[in-house]
Amino acid sequence: MLKTLCTFVIKRGLSNVGMVCPKTMGVGDNLLHQSIWDSDPELFDLMKEEKRRQRRGLELIASENLTSLSVLQCLSSCLHNKYSEGLPGQRYYAGNEFIDKIELLCQKRSLEAFGLSPEEWGVNVQPYSGSPANLAVYTALCQPHDRIMGLDLPDGGHLTHGFMTATKRISATSIFFESFPYKVDPVSGLIDYDKLQQNARLFKPKIIIAGISCYSRCLDYERFRKIADENGAYLFSDMAHVSGLVAAGVIPSPFKYSDVVSTTTHKTLRGPRAGVIFFRKGVKSIGKDGKPIMYDLETRINNAVFPSLQGGPHNHAIAGIATAMKQAATPQFKQYQQQVVANAKRLCVGLQGLGYQIATGGTDVHQLLVNLKPCGLSGAKAEFILEEISVVCNKNTVPGDTSPQNPSGIRLGTPALTTRGFKEAEIDKVVSFIHSAVNIALEAQKISGPKLVDFKKVVTTDPTITGSVKALRKEVELFAEQFPIPGYPDY
């Protein structure tokens, strides 16, 4: 009888087998053993819709990727259940024997993925994501109102590098610290290192940030180091966007020249949504008395993450980082990153061949910035029309823009499409989709005039325009569905 009451669930291609036995269940325990499709079909339907959107669309957001089944399995594991404030061996809760081993394994693999010696580098794998990781770095290295310098947001920098406007301090980094941006050359679109050097001599920052959010060229870390040394500043490299390319060795590494390096793990690294901070250890320099001066970053970074800014770490995410770092050390991962860059270059050349203007004139990495000013189209309109045909990107400022809310460009990236198996031939097809969508947008704009709200109305109501949009969307979705996405089969 007991055998007939116990239910074994093997459903929808999932690898786990769940056993529900009423004899051992307490009050309400049936809720704990139900699948999401049985307990909450309304939510599960939305999850399936999102999976369908991802499968039928073309994801060109440079900061997004499609992670592996093994990472997803970590994120849905029992590791989520455990509280473990503190570091391995120094927890504030009992029961962390295996959690400690997982975090130590993650630290070891993180160093190995980037070819780092544990005598020279340490790593904290607990930051919840990239922005908290960056704030932890500033908290560790600075006092309130100390000075920082990062690439300006309209020029390709990130919010967490100190962005502010003339009337408002936007980012917490500009609220708690005094920030002064460095810029790109308005003609070439390249970072003006000479101007950065001049301004750093005047501003005397505590930290110089070598990092980007939308800049398609490799950074000159050696030049950054020289400018930092000249001003007694820390060099903090935020490689969130390019860490996968760095791990694969397809672009220069920041580690040789940096004091601290942060990264997210969900972009080119193709792991879970989390952050990691690397910090220097060992001898920093030799004093005038001939004695070594040691780095003191380990305790400062670790204390900034916890207890200064965070509580218990997300152990399921740390496990996901560990398996992602293992993948990052494989030959297959290097081949993947080489293809990511090859695809970005092909996308760039294809658009340039159709007359589109690309900031910096090209790309060395996984992304490019298309300046639509010469086309007479705004970034917001381009983003909207592309989403209408199931091509997803983001509007973005180009050098010279004054408002992030009304930018002139779109940012395009190739990590997610490359994960799905796209190579140069498929990228050529993507170029044609983008160009067709822009042409539809220009026709719609002739009817709507300049306002975005009127443009959206025309795109969604004008019979001729909607007909063109629907036909192109169908073509895009039929094309996209040929390429699988990793993860669970049903969601």
Side-chain angles (χ1 to χ4, degrees):
M1 181 67 176
L2 180 61
K3 184 176 180 181
T4 60
L5 291 174
C6 295
T7 304
F8 292 85
V9 180
I10 305 175
K11 196 167 186 180
R12 290 175 167 81
L14 301 183
S15 60
N16 292 333
V17 179
M19 180 172 134
V20 181
C21 187
K23 183 176 180 180
T24 62
M25 290 195 306
V27 175
D29 277 358
N30 61 312
L31 294 177
L32 301 180
H33 296 280
Q34 284 186 319
S35 65
I36 185 67
W37 45 83
D38 290 329
S39 66
D40 197 344
E42 179 183 11
L43 176 59
F44 186 58
D45 283 345
L46 292 173
M47 293 167 64
K48 289 190 293 184
E49 285 297 321
E50 171 58 17
K51 179 70 174 282
R52 188 176 295 111
R53 184 198 68 82
Q54 292 183 20
R55 189 174 62 248
R56 291 180 174 178
L58 301 177
E59 199 70 60
L60 282 164
I61 293 178
S63 53
E64 293 188 3
N65 211 331
L66 303 167
T67 197
S68 64
L69 176 60
S70 62
V71 168
L72 293 177
Q73 289 171 329
C74 290
L75 295 177
S76 62
S77 70
C78 65
L79 302 177
H80 170 273
N81 300 335
K82 190 71 192 91
Y83 236 114
S84 52
E85 290 180 348
L87 291 167
Q90 307 170 47
R91 305 293 189 179
Y92 285 78
Y93 294 93
N96 280 291
E97 175 188 358
F98 301 108
I99 294 297
D100 280 3
K101 290 180 179 180
I102 289 169
E103 185 164 341
L104 290 171
L105 179 64
C106 184
Q107 292 174 358
K108 176 176 176 289
R109 289 180 176 177
S110 295
L111 295 175
E112 290 173 348
F114 294 95
L116 303 177
S117 165
E119 284 74 41
E120 296 178 348
W121 286 90
V123 60
N124 189 302
V125 297
Q126 294 189 6
Y128 297 149
S129 194
S131 295
N134 287 355
L135 186 57
V137 173
Y138 302 131
T139 301
L141 303 185
C142 293
Q143 293 297 312
H145 300 294
D146 275 350
R147 299 177 176 187
I148 64 175
M149 291 186 72
L151 182 61
D152 205 9
L153 181 73
D155 293 46
H158 191 261
L159 275 170
T160 61
H161 299 167
F163 181 61
M164 59 186 292
T165 69
T167 58
K168 186 176 181 180
R169 293 176 181 253
I170 306 296
S171 170
T173 49
S174 64
I175 294 171
F176 300 132
F177 309 103
E178 305 303 324
S179 64
F180 187 88
Y182 57 90
K183 307 285 287 181
V184 300
D185 179 271
V187 177
S188 68
L190 300 172
I191 292 173
D192 190 337
Y193 290 97
D194 292 337
K195 191 69 174 179
L196 164 59
Q197 185 172 29
Q198 294 172 15
N199 287 336
R201 288 170 180 168
L202 297 172
F203 190 62
K204 295 297 180 186
K206 188 72 171 288
I207 298 176
I208 294 177
I209 304 130
I212 57 92
S213 179
C214 186
Y215 183 77
S216 59
R217 296 298 185 177
C218 294
L219 299 181
D220 188 345
Y221 295 111
E222 183 176 10
R223 184 73 187 276
F224 274 113
R225 178 77 264 170
K226 290 178 179 178
I227 297 171
D229 286 344
E230 186 178 286
N231 295 279
Y234 290 105
L235 179 56
F236 165 37
S237 295
D238 177 357
M239 64 170 186
H241 261 276
V242 298
S243 55
L245 307 179
V246 172
V250 300
I251 65 169
S253 168
F255 287 99
K256 181 178 178 181
Y257 300 102
S258 304
D259 298 300
V260 179
V261 178
S262 74
T263 183
T264 53
T265 54
H266 54 272
K267 297 184 176 79
T268 51
L269 205 53
R270 206 166 58 179
R273 290 190 169 273
V276 173
I277 304 170
F278 299 89
F279 47 83
R280 286 275 191 178
K281 294 170 61 177
V283 178
K284 180 179 181 181
S285 60
I286 302 299
K288 293 180 180 179
D289 57 1
K291 295 181 180 180
I293 299 172
M294 308 299 288
Y295 280 102
D296 63 347
L297 300 176
E298 182 168 12
T299 299
R300 293 164 69 180
I301 293 288
N302 287 338
N303 286 346
V305 175
F306 172 83
S308 293
L309 296 175
Q310 296 185 181
H314 296 170
N315 298 304
H316 55 311
I318 289 173
I321 298 171
T323 200
M325 291 295 185
K326 181 180 180 181
Q327 294 173 11
T330 63
Q332 296 96 320
F333 188 80
K334 182 171 184 175
Q335 293 169 4
Y336 162 70
Q337 298 295 351
Q338 289 171 332
Q339 190 63 54
V340 167
V341 175
N343 284 347
K345 290 180 180 291
R346 184 64 163 248
L347 181 63
C348 180
V349 169
L351 290 171
Q352 286 175 318
L354 293 170
Y356 292 93
Q357 186 181 105
I358 307 299
T360 77
T363 183
D364 300 321
V365 290
H366 64 297
Q367 66 180 348
L368 53 136
L369 176 59
V370 185
N371 184 353
L372 294 168
K373 279 183 181 178
C375 302
L377 197 68
S378 72
K381 290 176 181 177
E383 177 191 77
F384 179 78
I385 195 71
L386 286 169
E387 186 174 15
E388 287 293 295
I389 66 156
S390 296
V391 175
V392 182
C393 70
N394 65 276
K395 59 184 179 292
N396 211 96
T397 53
V398 301
D401 278 349
T402 56
S403 172
Q405 302 303 319
N406 186 31
S408 302
I410 52 173
R411 182 182 65 165
L412 306 175
T414 56
L417 293 186
T418 308
T419 292
R420 295 180 71 176
F422 278 48
K423 294 186 177 179
E424 286 87 346
E426 290 75 32
I427 294 299
D428 289 344
K429 191 70 173 174
V430 174
V431 170
S432 71
F433 290 144
I434 293 171
H435 185 54
S436 296
V438 169
N439 284 333
I440 294 173
L442 292 173
E443 290 301 314
Q445 188 172 247
K446 291 177 182 177
I447 303 168
S448 71
K451 291 185 178 180
L452 179 61
V453 63
D454 296 332
F455 174 82
K456 289 182 176 181
K457 184 176 180 180
V458 166
V459 169
T460 55
T461 61
D462 181 272
T464 301
I465 299 299
T466 57
S468 298
V469 168
K470 287 179 181 178
L472 186 54
R473 180 169 62 241
K474 182 178 180 180
E475 185 180 353
V476 168
E477 291 181 349
L478 287 172
F479 174 73
E481 285 182 323
Q482 301 175 62
F483 303 91
I485 67 176
Y488 294 108
D490 285 358
Y491 70 95

